[in-house]
Amino acid sequence: MSQLGFFSKGFNTKLVKYWELSEEIQQSGVINIGSILSFATINGRVAKIAMTAAVEDVNSDSSVLGGRKLVLSMHDSNYSGFLDIMGALQYMETDTVAIIGPQTSVMAHVIAHFTNELHVPLLSFTALDPSITPLQYPYFIQTAPTDLYQIAAIADMISYFGYREVIAIFTDDDKNRNGITILGDILAERRAKISYKATIPPEPAPIRDHVMEELLNIRMMEPRVIVVNTYTKTGFVVFDIAQNLGMMDKGYVWIATNWLSAAMDATQILPDTANSIQGVLTLRLHIPDSKRKRAFASRWNKLSNGSIGLNTYGLYAYDTVWMIANAVKLFLAHGSTISFSNYSSLNVLGGRVLNLSALSIFDGGQMLLSNIVQTNMRGLTGPIEFNPDRSMKRPAYDILNVIGNGFRQIGYWSNYSGLSVDPPETLYSRQANRSSSNQKLYGVLWPGKTEVKPRGWVFPNNGKRLRIGVPNRVSYKDFVSLDNHTGLIHGYCIDVFLAAIKLLPYAVPHEFILFGDGLKNPSYTELVRMITSNVFDAAVGDIAIVANRTKIVDFTQPYIESGLVVVVPVRKLHSSAWAFLRPFTPSMWGVTAAFFLLVGVVVWILEHRVNNEFRGPLKKQLVTLLWFSFSTMFFAQRENTMSTLGRIVLIIWLFVVLIINSSYTASLTSILTVQQLSSSINGIESLITSNDPIGFQAFPRDSPLAIDMSTAILSLSENGELQKIDDKWLNKSMCGPQPQSSQSDQLNLESFWGLFLVCGVAFLIALLVYFWLMFCKFKQHCPETSESSRFGSSYSAHFQRFLSFVDEKEEVTSNRLKRKRTGNNTVCQGKET
């Protein structure tokens, strides 16, 4: 590895001509690649061994580079960003075709500017900040899934366990800060949030005192779900101090990013360290099982001499070298040559102290970059392929639970199907399903060695009571009111609240604070707003759940459901001697009476010729008609109907009478037994136009206490305690639901006109049929009348004879017809009764 050549003290340094160097490279058959890592770190040590093994494997296979040798130079940055930059510049001076590294995203942002200018591909499997985009840094390639997917997996885990608030502890650099920012954005979409962000200075700054201060603050806060996004050394310091502070016991949830799994896979954890991370959830990049992976794992102990274990970063380091080798193979196969040329833009700096003119542009950098991006191979990490945005296809993670000195796998996460207990590679052949019902994980052994899922929050241990705002009502005090004798606040809502908190598995210190002057009912909307302004922590009372309030606060499960109602006084019922007339309107009474008379007339006409009960003196027939008409109201008619048309008419009429009787009975019963409401409001329109006051019948937004209280209220409903409270406070009141109607309680003609229409049409048809039959019989029995009409007989006389015929008894008409047939020619005349 050559010395740093760009710190020349003189101005006459002789530069080797670039075309001579290119020719020398072609003749030597050497392909130079470089790496920039901190080899004192766990991932740096593992990557160094893996990359060395990969170069040996590439060079041992002559079919890869056709006899050329891949030479890997390694630069140890030793945690120094300055040395990272120096190493990158050195490689760009020595005709390097690609660089692996740097280890951190912070330096990737810097070095990528150099590689962009000099067209040297920069590949990293550890600098996975998702903010490093190919649009800004086209020559930078992330050869492992970006942290965006790891953060998405953590967000899915938080949602799966039902947590709404988390605390983030992270190293204050680009990579970790951006990861937490993304986590906050994803959680916000799911109505969850990061309630506190604890930043830690980047290594190697002293951090222990800073971590202690932050954890002491966190211990006093409500949330108990903590995400640790940092590096190995800092992460173990966090857990060690948390263990000493009692923050690794029951009730806490700790989620660490994949720095923890990488460290535990590669090194032996000391017993004290292992005790401090029991129950922690962490992630590990998912590597599908394969023969190549198992073979490499079996070689590892020999490659490392037992100095360190193999983690996922070692596998990605190995594959990164092979990606470069395959891309160079394709580059050479297309007849391209590896050459470098002078960077003309630096000539203006030739007279300066820094010999930057030694930096050269890789002429084939664009083609080599394209070959890398188009990689489609199977490596130790499985299928390797890039999306159009250069992110790795099909990213997946193992979800691990730290137990003892190792892990218990509780599931997987993939960008394809979310959380699952099945390996991701078995799911790609199925249809993607990320519904909440399809998200599954195995059970977790949480901190404190409990399998009971922690609630995720507690009341802050700061001695403060929960401030409960209570409306100071002046009307209907059964809901909530102040007892002037005892000074205590009581009521239906207060009893429900107190009964609910008794069911919670933790204490809820609280105090009730009256809101309002006691002279008038307070504004409930203002009461709700005071929760958002932190005047109150919650509110208890008859507070309606309406749309604008749900946008700023959370409500518990409703324990009274009334919908939209109008509260009005009950009208006292006054009896009347004419109350029996109220079910029908006057028009209804008039039409009904008319039809009763009409049915009598119709039936009398249809039955008069054939039924003796409808014959006789005029007075008798009139009485019979009236009796028959109104007796049908009670189905008590004594007269039998003999004609077919009469029976049809009577059946239709009795059906109408049945409906009228039933409706009358129901309406009269309602009027005499149901109390009526007295209100000028008959509907929405009258409510809008009136000046009447409109009134409504409880925690900060995303408060976890709202969920627990809702569960407690449901338990009260199930065990009957809520009904007892209801009976105590509300059943003594006369206020209750009434039938909602904006119509009059009387039945009008509009409700029955269809029945009367059918009945009237039936009457008309029956009469038309009857008179047609009578006319035909009249012509048959009295043909001489028809003849005389032809010779000028008056129509009135003819009509009189027809009426006489109709009035005649059917039996007389039949006898006359018989005599006529036997030769007795009798003139049709007169009327027999």
Side-chain angles (χ1 to χ4, degrees):
M1 186 166 59
S2 64
Q3 296 178 350
L4 298 179
F6 47 86
F7 278 99
S8 174
K9 294 183 179 180
F11 298 102
N12 298 322
T13 302
K14 185 176 181 180
L15 301 177
V16 180
K17 295 184 180 298
Y18 290 103
W19 58 85
E20 292 179 355
L21 283 175
S22 299
E23 183 179 358
E24 181 181 349
I25 291 172
Q26 297 294 330
Q27 293 176 354
S28 65
V30 173
I31 299 172
N32 293 319
I33 62 173
S35 68
I36 305 173
L37 299 171
S38 294
F39 296 126
T41 64
I42 293 176
N43 293 336
R45 292 164 59 194
V46 172
K48 181 178 181 179
I49 298 171
M51 291 188 297
T52 301
V55 170
E56 293 176 356
D57 292 345
V58 169
N59 291 332
S60 64
D61 188 349
S62 60
S63 64
V64 179
L65 298 178
R68 297 173 184 263
K69 294 296 181 182
L70 189 68
V71 176
L72 171 65
S73 300
M74 298 189 184
H75 176 80
D76 186 2
S77 62
N78 195 26
Y79 297 100
S80 171
F82 176 77
L83 293 181
D84 276 325
I85 297 174
M86 295 300 100
L89 292 174
Q90 176 183 340
Y91 288 138
M92 295 174 196
E93 182 189 8
T94 56
D95 302 330
T96 300
V97 299
I99 300 174
I100 300 175
Q103 193 163 334
T104 65
S105 298
V106 176
M107 295 313 304
H109 281 276
V110 177
I111 297 176
H113 286 288
F114 294 99
T115 58
N116 286 350
E117 291 294 324
L118 301 178
H119 297 178
V120 178
L122 179 67
L123 298 83
S124 180
F125 50 86
T126 55
L128 303 177
D129 182 2
S131 68
I132 309 178
T133 64
L135 293 177
Q136 185 178 8
Y137 305 103
Y139 278 84
F140 180 74
I141 305 171
Q142 293 168 323
T143 59
T146 71
D147 286 341
L148 172 65
Y149 300 111
Q150 177 176 213
I151 296 302
I154 292 175
D156 282 350
M157 292 166 60
I158 293 171
S159 298
Y160 174 80
F161 291 116
Y163 298 129
R164 303 284 293 275
E165 291 189 40
V166 302
I167 292 175
I169 301 176
F170 60 97
T171 297
D172 194 15
D173 62 8
D174 287 354
K175 172 184 180 297
N176 296 289
R177 188 189 312 111
N178 290 340
I180 295 302
T181 300
I182 294 172
L183 177 61
D185 293 340
I186 298 176
L187 292 179
E189 295 174 357
R190 307 177 185 186
R191 290 194 61 186
K193 66 179 181 180
I194 300 176
S195 58
Y196 181 74
K197 297 179 180 179
T199 59
I200 300 174
E203 299 175 6
I207 60 171
R208 195 168 185 88
D209 291 342
H210 189 88
V211 171
M212 174 68 77
E213 181 181 354
E214 288 288 0
L215 289 180
L216 286 173
N217 290 333
I218 292 172
R219 192 173 64 169
M220 302 294 290
M221 298 177 184
E222 291 184 13
R224 286 293 184 261
V225 181
I226 305 173
V227 177
V228 183
N229 187 32
T230 183
Y231 302 106
T232 304
K233 181 179 178 181
T234 302
F236 282 128
V237 170
V238 169
F239 284 117
D240 180 52
I241 296 176
Q243 171 80 359
N244 294 333
L245 294 177
M247 298 176 67
M248 299 304 299
D249 294 334
K250 292 181 181 179
Y252 283 89
V253 176
W254 290 86
I255 302 175
T257 49
N258 62 348
W259 63 265
L260 179 57
S261 62
M264 294 184 67
D265 286 337
T267 61
Q268 283 288 341
I269 303 298
L270 296 176
D272 290 344
T273 303
N275 289 335
S276 69
I277 57 175
Q278 293 302 299
V280 175
L281 297 178
T282 187
L283 299 95
R284 176 172 57 200
L285 285 163
H286 176 70
I287 310 296
D289 190 31
S290 65
K291 290 184 179 179
R292 289 190 62 193
K293 174 186 171 183
R294 291 194 297 270
F296 187 77
S298 64
R299 291 173 55 194
W300 183 258
N301 193 50
K302 181 178 179 180
L303 293 171
S304 64
N305 293 321
S307 61
I308 197 169
L310 174 64
N311 62 19
T312 55
Y313 288 110
L315 300 176
Y316 277 101
Y318 182 92
D319 283 348
T320 300
V321 173
W322 271 97
M323 288 171 63
I324 296 173
N326 286 329
V328 172
K329 176 183 178 181
L330 186 61
F331 178 87
L332 299 174
H334 284 110
S336 301
T337 58
I338 298 176
S339 62
F340 296 83
S341 59
N342 185 21
Y343 186 38
S344 59
S345 299
L346 294 176
N347 290 339
V348 296
L349 302 176
R352 302 290 178 89
V353 176
L354 296 178
N355 188 17
L356 297 178
S357 60
L359 301 178
S360 57
I361 295 178
F362 178 25
D363 297 328
Q366 179 62 45
M367 180 177 291
L368 183 61
L369 174 68
S370 178
N371 292 344
I372 294 173
V373 172
Q374 295 176 20
T375 295
N376 188 356
M377 71 179 205
R378 181 172 289 275
L380 296 182
T381 58
I384 300 176
E385 193 175 356
F386 291 96
N387 292 310
D389 63 352
R390 294 191 186 175
S391 61
M392 299 291 290
K393 282 190 174 181
R394 295 180 174 178
Y397 288 87
D398 300 333
I399 300 178
L400 309 172
N401 184 198
V402 179
I403 299 177
N405 291 324
F407 304 109
R408 180 177 70 180
Q409 186 157 348
I410 62 171
Y412 306 87
W413 179 92
S414 70
N415 194 42
Y416 185 74
S417 59
L419 301 174
S420 172
V421 294
D422 298 321
E425 56 269 21
T426 66
L427 302 176
Y428 296 131
S429 59
R430 311 176 194 173
Q431 185 175 0
N433 185 357
R434 298 206 60 169
S435 63
S436 58
S437 61
N438 196 54
Q439 306 299 293
K440 297 179 181 177
L441 291 176
Y442 291 120
V444 178
L445 187 64
W446 303 96
K449 297 182 179 179
T450 177
E451 295 183 355
V452 178
K453 187 191 78 171
R455 188 171 62 253
W457 72 280
V458 295
F459 281 102
N461 188 21
N462 53 17
K464 293 183 178 179
R465 293 174 174 267
L466 202 65
R467 297 163 299 175
I468 309 293
V470 177
N472 191 5
R473 295 184 59 94
V474 296
S475 63
Y476 202 71
K477 296 186 176 183
D478 286 340
F479 275 124
V480 58
S481 64
L482 174 66
D483 190 328
N484 294 324
H485 298 289
T486 64
L488 299 177
I489 299 175
H490 62 178
Y492 174 77
C493 298
I494 300 299
D495 281 5
V496 172
F497 174 80
L498 295 176
I501 63 174
K502 288 180 181 178
L503 297 180
L504 299 181
Y506 49 88
V508 183
H510 63 275
E511 59 177 331
F512 294 120
I513 303 174
L514 285 174
F515 172 70
D517 56 11
L519 302 177
K520 62 181 183 300
N521 288 335
S523 168
Y524 281 36
T525 300
E526 184 62 27
L527 174 59
V528 170
R529 287 176 181 167
M530 295 183 75
I531 298 175
T532 63
S533 60
N534 203 31
V535 176
F536 296 130
D537 298 312
V540 173
D542 51 329
I543 304 171
I545 303 175
V546 293
N548 63 331
R549 296 175 185 172
T550 59
K551 296 177 182 178
I552 57 176
V553 295
D554 280 343
F555 286 89
T556 64
Q557 170 74 17
Y559 47 88
I560 295 182
E561 295 186 11
S562 62
L564 296 177
V565 297
V566 178
V567 181
V568 296
V570 176
R571 183 176 65 200
K572 187 176 181 181
L573 190 62
H574 296 284
S575 299
S576 171
W578 303 101
F580 67 92
L581 295 176
R582 290 175 57 191
F584 290 164
T585 60
S587 60
M588 181 65 181
W589 278 118
V591 173
T592 302
F595 264 82
F596 271 109
L597 292 174
L598 181 60
V599 75
V601 173
V602 172
V603 173
W604 181 86
I605 293 174
L606 298 177
E607 294 290 319
H608 181 66
R609 281 177 53 86
V610 297
N611 194 336
N612 290 330
E613 294 182 351
F614 289 89
R615 298 184 68 84
L618 179 61
K619 181 179 180 181
K620 175 186 176 184
Q621 293 187 54
L622 183 60
V623 171
T624 300
L625 186 148
L626 294 175
W627 165 257
F628 180 85
S629 296
F630 292 101
S631 64
T632 57
M633 182 186 302
F634 311 104
F635 307 98
Q637 67 277 6
R638 298 177 300 179
E639 294 78 12
N640 295 322
T641 52
M642 301 179 64
S643 65
T644 302
L645 290 175
R647 291 174 178 175
I648 293 175
V649 167
L650 187 60
I651 289 174
I652 295 175
W653 175 245
L654 291 179
F655 174 72
V656 174
V657 170
L658 174 64
I659 294 177
I660 293 175
N661 278 343
S662 300
S663 302
Y664 176 86
T665 303
S667 180
L668 183 62
T669 302
S670 175
I671 290 172
L672 295 179
T673 60
V674 179
Q675 291 178 325
Q676 301 298 299
L677 300 179
S678 174
S679 174
S680 60
I681 299 172
N682 294 321
I684 294 297
E685 295 300 327
S686 61
L687 181 61
I688 294 174
T689 58
S690 71
N691 293 322
D692 295 336
I694 302 174
F696 302 99
Q697 239 276 59
F699 294 100
R701 185 72 165 173
D702 300 325
S703 171
L705 183 57
I707 300 175
D708 288 354
M709 287 294 289
S710 295
T711 304
I713 291 172
L714 288 174
S715 299
L716 290 175
S717 178
E718 292 173 357
N719 62 25
E721 189 64 27
L722 187 60
Q723 184 60 47
K724 293 179 181 178
I725 299 174
D726 188 280
D727 295 340
K728 173 184 175 182
W729 289 100
L730 302 184
N731 273 6
K732 65 183 179 181
S733 171
M734 297 302 294
C735 181
Q738 295 290 340
Q740 299 181 8
S741 174
S742 60
Q743 302 285 333
S744 171
D745 53 9
Q746 290 183 309
L747 299 174
N748 52 43
L749 185 59
E750 292 179 359
S751 303
F752 298 93
W753 72 266
L755 281 175
F756 288 128
L757 177 63
V758 171
C759 192
V761 171
F763 291 174
L764 179 60
I765 293 174
L767 289 176
L768 290 176
V769 172
Y770 174 77
F771 284 113
W772 172 256
L773 293 175
M774 288 299 99
F775 182 73
C776 292
K777 287 184 178 182
F778 177 68
K779 289 178 62 177
Q780 180 182 4
H781 288 275
C782 303
E784 64 280 6
T785 305
S786 299
E787 292 293 333
S788 63
S789 65
R790 297 179 183 177
F791 298 101
S793 297
S794 66
Y795 285 103
S796 60
H798 180 66
F799 184 68
Q800 288 291 336
R801 294 189 187 99
F802 176 71
L803 290 181
S804 298
F805 176 78
V806 172
D807 187 54
E808 189 177 64
K809 191 174 182 181
E810 181 70 23
E811 183 180 352
V812 174
T813 304
S814 299
N815 291 337
R816 184 187 306 115
L817 183 60
K818 290 180 182 180
R819 291 196 300 268
K820 184 177 180 180
R821 289 176 179 174
T822 58
N824 298 325
N825 188 10
T826 304
V827 179
C828 180
Q829 59 182 357
K831 176 177 71 172
E832 293 188 17
T833 60

